[in-house]
Amino acid sequence: MARCPQAVLRQRAPLSLLGGCWLDMISQPATQPAIFVNRLYAQHFALRGGGEPLDDLHRQRRRSLEVAGIDLPEIAAADFLRRADARPLTSLHACFYLALSRLPANFLPEVVGVHYAFYALAVDDVLAGTSSRLTEPELRNLLTEYLTFAGPDERRRLRCAVALTIRLEREHVAMLRELASWRAGLSLESRVADIIARHAPMAGRQHGRVRVGDALLADRFSDPHLEVAQFLREFREAPQVQTRTADGISPFIEAMKFGGPMFGIFTEHEAAVFREWVASAQSGERPDIVISPNRVGDAAATSWLDAIASSAPPDIQYASAAPRDDREWLYQLINIENFPNTLPLAEARAREHLAAAELLFAYGASGRYTDASYFDYSAEALFERGERVYWDKLVNPYRPLEQIPSRDEVVFMQTTYALGSLIDGAWIHRMANLGHRERESDEKLFAIYADEMGHGDLRKNHITLVHRVLASMSIELPHIRDEAFMRQAELPDELYPSGVFQLCMCMFPDTFYNEILGYNFGIEMFGSGEFRLHEIQKLRHYGFDDCYEQAHLTIDNFSAGHTRQAADIIVSFLDGVRRASGEAAVQREWRRVWRGYAAFSYFVEHKLVRQVTVPDTEAVADLVI
Ligand SMILES: [Fe+2]
Ligand SMILES: [Fe+2]
């Protein structure tokens, strides 16, 4: 690392930090529980630290950059690319990987190809002097395995993606080399010009009435066509540079010192370049000012931009018609990569349901399995509510069934849960993606989702478990992503609204962050208790597979399981709000969290909801807490 110039590492930082983002959403309802997707997910889980956030490769890369003296904001920060001095070519490469990360279900062969080539080349490990997290044989095994599943078209696409990634990485490395030699060959004037060109657009009206030559600095620096060479020619003759102050320096250098108007504007390195330049100008040196502008990578960037501008993918259609019914809603949401026009409709639908669910703020205490009645937040109050619902409504009412319903009834009951189970974990599948991992709550949500997907181990994947249960009852369904699923006749229509709502909300992990935390608490808690135990008893009675129910009894409990973690996540998130914005903000944010819980409760307590929405004033008045 020490041998690598800082400017090179800084230029590489955007790609280094987003490496692997193409696996962020590889696991989703449209792709699960495919064997190969789980192989990829297992590698994703390993790259993310295998449950240890500090071992996350992204964090490790960031630490390496910091050790090399490169301090950058989080990758999602608005000024990240500017602070990384990203050349247009770097930004374009980064956009390609990010775009791929948004469409992994449609571009699975490409994801595999990019993943293999990017990590097999291991450019970032070479630059950082680290060893690769994924060895080439591991990566090759994965590739070989994929090829056994892939048809001719997928193989062709995979080869294209490998070739493209090799080309991109070669191009980027060549650009880094070009950058290093451009910087090494810069004259002192060019180095000064580079700093001025970088800072001028941010100067605004800061220089007030200060002039250099005939013009106000404020005017010169706001001119997008600033002639830096001409400016330097005038500036080196200006009193700001030529006058010697009492310290033997110049007013310009003086202004950068502590107490001066430009203190803190430039880095120490930039200030040193200015000092050297002022000393040379004061000593009478007048070299020709020939500025070699930074055009590193621009030829390649231009040819990519031209290619992108002139391409017109034939398979893109724009349409804004709303889905016909909930079956079509579900189909479009599962296949959202192909129905981006559904997104605004999904957001509106999620908002509508969240608003409706607030009804339970008043009536929720009468819920059979939940209590969404509102309370002011404190961590203690949240745990107290959680404990009470868990024990009083879910666990303690349990008595073994004395009579087991008929086989058909048991099967029917299971089919009413199956749709929700087929999208298990979906409510958080988009959390903790690249750029959204800063909060402790993000990492904890990632950990819950990874558990739901068995950390990439197909046998422990909850979607696999649902399929096992359904198979034991001889229920066969098309894959939930297939068009044929819209016509399936096994799962009743009544269950679609809750699945559709969940998918609508989860498309917006930032917009509905708080609500998802509350929903997560509700749904995880529902994995335990009387209701599950009864299902287990019924399934066993008829010799059906009860693995799905069993798994949830243990993993979702309130002592250390997902329910407890879900409560901890809310506490951790609101603690962050308190520290950043104070107690009043906590209660505002909390109200949204609890709306998320109510939104879950609204479906579970459909009888109660019906009771309070059908106008029978007296009965309703009894339900208000
Ligand atoms: Fe689950
Ligand atoms: Fe869970």
Side-chain angles (χ1 to χ4, degrees):
M1 187 95 156
R3 286 180 290 119
C4 201
Q6 206 184 60
V8 167
L9 296 173
R10 184 181 290 276
Q11 191 59 226
R12 179 70 192 179
L15 300 187
S16 173
L17 291 174
L18 60 71
C21 66
W22 42 84
L23 296 184
D24 274 351
M25 290 198 294
I26 194 72
S27 170
Q28 52 172 291
T31 60
Q32 283 289 2
I35 297 172
F36 191 73
V37 165
N38 286 285
R39 293 269 191 276
L40 276 175
Y41 192 77
Q43 294 205 343
H44 180 51
F45 187 64
L47 291 172
R48 293 286 303 262
E52 291 295 334
L54 285 176
D55 290 339
D56 186 331
L57 183 60
H58 177 90
R59 290 199 187 194
Q60 193 190 68
R61 297 273 190 245
R62 182 170 279 283
R63 281 199 295 274
S64 299
L65 287 165
E66 284 163 4
V67 168
I70 300 164
D71 179 26
L72 292 170
E74 294 295 341
I75 197 162
D79 62 345
F80 174 80
L81 286 177
R82 185 183 64 73
R83 299 254 305 266
D85 291 340
R87 301 294 308 153
L89 187 63
T90 299
S91 304
L92 271 167
H93 283 205
C95 285
F96 166 69
Y97 296 121
L98 267 179
L100 187 62
S101 80
R102 302 290 133 172
L103 302 163
N106 277 350
F107 291 92
L108 184 60
E110 285 79 6
V111 167
V112 179
V114 166
H115 181 68
Y116 169 76
F118 191 90
Y119 284 116
L121 289 171
V123 171
D124 295 292
D125 286 312
V126 174
L127 287 174
T130 48
S131 50
S132 306
R133 281 283 178 94
L134 300 171
T135 63
E136 204 278 336
E138 271 177 286
L139 290 159
R140 198 166 350 123
N141 284 343
L142 191 83
L143 202 60
T144 313
E145 200 172 343
Y146 181 71
L147 290 172
T148 61
F149 295 105
D153 188 49
E154 285 151 330
R155 286 166 181 241
R156 181 191 58 77
R157 288 170 54 188
L158 175 104
R159 276 197 303 274
C160 274
V162 170
L164 175 64
T165 310
I166 293 172
R167 179 179 164 190
L168 289 175
E169 285 294 72
R170 277 196 170 139
E171 191 173 77
H172 205 253
V173 168
M175 192 195 91
L176 296 177
R177 199 182 303 123
E178 193 188 335
L179 178 71
S181 67
W182 174 78
R183 290 190 68 87
L186 282 181
S187 66
L188 183 55
E189 279 70 24
S190 283
R191 281 187 283 149
V192 171
D194 186 44
I195 300 168
I196 290 176
R198 206 155 357 107
H199 285 272
M202 292 173 285
R205 309 302 296 174
Q206 293 293 338
H207 292 95
R209 307 300 303 165
V210 180
R211 288 173 181 273
V212 166
D214 292 338
L216 288 173
L217 272 184
D219 292 339
R220 296 189 96 138
F221 288 160
S222 55
D223 178 359
H225 306 294
L226 170 71
E227 275 283 350
V228 183
Q230 181 55 31
F231 171 74
L232 281 183
R233 254 176 237 119
E234 293 175 36
F235 191 36
R236 70 183 170 189
E237 309 303 341
Q240 289 97 329
V241 169
Q242 287 301 330
T243 308
R244 279 181 200 269
T245 58
D247 295 349
I249 48 177
S250 72
F252 171 53
I253 300 296
E254 189 83 32
M256 283 187 233
K257 293 171 70 174
F258 180 68
M262 292 169 72
F263 176 71
I265 302 288
F266 301 107
T267 65
E268 187 41 46
H269 174 73
E270 289 170 332
V273 173
F274 277 131
R275 281 197 294 273
E276 192 186 342
W277 179 71
V278 167
S280 104
Q282 285 182 342
S283 71
E285 287 176 34
R286 289 294 179 273
D288 267 359
I289 298 184
V290 180
I291 291 173
S292 128
N294 189 351
R295 304 249 184 272
V296 172
D298 285 358
T302 305
S303 79
W304 280 118
L305 280 174
D306 289 346
I308 293 166
S310 60
S311 75
D315 56 345
I316 293 184
Q317 294 175 14
Y318 295 93
S320 56
R324 278 188 309 267
D325 54 23
D326 277 353
R327 286 178 174 242
E328 195 172 34
W329 263 102
L330 191 91
Y331 173 70
Q332 295 194 0
L333 289 163
I334 295 284
N335 293 289
I336 195 69
E337 291 179 17
N338 298 313
F339 295 96
N341 55 304
T342 307
L343 282 170
L345 303 173
E347 185 184 351
R349 182 162 175 169
R351 282 192 192 288
E352 229 170 79
H353 177 74
L354 288 162
E358 287 197 26
L359 175 85
L360 293 176
F361 281 4
Y363 301 106
S366 307
R368 168 68 186 83
Y369 299 107
T370 63
D371 178 357
S373 59
Y374 190 77
F375 59 98
D376 285 335
Y377 173 77
S378 69
E380 296 71 29
L382 173 65
F383 281 109
E384 196 272 331
R385 171 64 61 89
E387 292 276 351
R388 211 152 39 74
V389 172
Y390 184 77
W391 292 109
D392 295 353
K393 299 200 180 219
L394 293 170
V395 179
N396 290 341
Y398 172 68
R399 304 281 177 279
L401 291 172
E402 282 165 15
Q403 251 194 331
I404 305 286
S406 73
R407 194 175 192 278
D408 283 353
E409 277 175 82
V410 170
V411 171
F412 176 77
M413 207 57 186
Q414 279 291 312
T415 62
T416 66
Y417 309 137
L419 190 67
S421 310
L422 284 169
I423 54 171
D424 199 1
W427 64 95
I428 44 173
H429 85 278
R430 291 178 169 229
M431 314 296 275
N433 289 345
L434 181 74
H436 305 269
R437 300 180 193 167
E438 287 120 52
R439 293 164 291 205
E440 195 187 24
S441 47
D442 300 329
E443 291 296 347
K444 289 180 170 176
L445 286 165
F446 175 76
I448 293 187
Y449 184 71
D451 281 348
E452 301 286 342
M453 297 302 115
H455 304 164
D457 181 340
L458 198 61
R459 291 161 306 172
K460 298 177 186 160
N461 181 309
H462 290 191
I463 316 288
T464 314
L465 303 185
V466 193
H467 284 286
R468 267 177 55 186
V469 176
L470 290 172
S472 77
M473 295 185 292
S474 307
I475 294 178
E476 279 187 29
L477 289 166
H479 193 281
I480 195 165
R481 71 171 166 260
D482 293 341
E483 230 178 310
F485 193 87
M486 275 196 280
R487 296 183 294 277
Q488 64 79 21
E490 303 278 3
L491 316 184
D493 283 333
E494 288 69 29
L495 269 296
Y496 275 71
S498 67
V500 167
F501 164 71
Q502 185 192 123
L503 292 170
C504 284
M505 181 173 65
C506 79
M507 294 298 156
F508 304 93
D510 296 329
T511 306
F512 297 128
Y513 189 84
N514 302 31
E515 285 81 0
I516 291 172
L517 297 195
Y519 185 91
N520 185 47
F521 184 56
I523 199 164
E524 291 296 355
M525 194 184 294
F526 200 55
S528 316
E530 176 202 34
F531 157 81
R532 296 275 172 197
L533 290 165
H534 282 168
E535 284 310 300
I536 289 172
Q537 198 185 345
K538 289 189 265 177
L539 289 166
R540 281 192 183 163
H541 182 82
Y542 293 107
F544 298 139
D545 199 329
D546 64 352
C547 60
Y548 186 83
E549 306 293 344
Q550 285 287 359
H552 286 86
L553 271 190
T554 47
I555 205 167
D556 285 342
N557 69 63
F558 204 1
S559 52
H562 288 173
T563 309
R564 170 69 195 213
Q565 292 165 35
D568 286 343
I569 287 169
I570 294 171
V571 172
S572 157
F573 168 66
L574 291 176
D575 180 48
V577 171
R578 176 182 289 111
R579 282 182 279 131
S581 313
E583 183 60 33
V586 168
Q587 297 304 334
R588 267 199 314 275
E589 300 290 322
W590 158 249
R591 189 181 168 85
R592 288 187 42 208
V593 171
W594 202 241
R595 237 157 67 106
Y597 177 86
F600 172 73
S601 172
Y602 194 91
F603 291 112
V604 177
E605 310 294 353
H606 48 91
K607 282 187 195 141
L608 170 65
V609 169
R610 212 173 311 125
Q611 214 176 327
V612 293
T613 45
V614 173
D616 177 350
T617 337
E618 258 177 45
V620 172
D622 289 346
L623 294 168
V624 181
I625 52 165

